[in-house]
Amino acid sequence: MPHIHVRHYPRNFTEEQLRAIDEAVTAAVTSTFATGEDTVSISLEPVTPEDWDTKVLAEIAARRDELIKAPGYWNES
């Protein structure tokens, strides 16, 4: 419990960058949800720019009521 799933354009992360993502996200989640580090899981999923609209933006639009932050590039019209 809580699981954070991050989708992003493909890129190669260094071990240091992965550790920084882990530490920052884990710190935010544990303090906000009042839970321990051992309850948090994080996954990274690369999505190509060509697939972004159909795989990610479509889900964002379908689940807009669950968003706590909408992307700045998104035009809901």
Side-chain angles (χ1 to χ4, degrees):
M1 117 67 196
H3 174 71
I4 310 303
H5 184 88
V6 179
R7 287 183 269 178
H8 58 88
Y9 282 178
R11 63 170 294 172
N12 293 320
F13 293 102
T14 65
E15 288 299 317
E16 183 177 318
Q17 290 170 322
L18 290 172
R19 190 169 33 262
I21 292 168
D22 174 11
E23 290 173 1
V25 172
T26 298
V29 169
T30 56
S31 68
T32 303
F33 285 87
T35 189
E37 289 184 11
D38 61 331
T39 67
V40 178
S41 58
I42 304 167
S43 63
L44 298 176
E45 177 188 353
V47 177
T48 64
E50 299 80 25
D51 290 335
W52 191 262
D53 287 353
T54 58
K55 288 189 175 182
V56 179
L57 198 53
E59 182 179 331
I60 290 171
R63 301 173 78 172
R64 68 176 56 108
D65 59 318
E66 297 176 0
L67 287 177
I68 61 169
K69 181 182 184 312
Y73 62 82
W74 185 29
N75 181 358
E76 285 190 75
S77 56

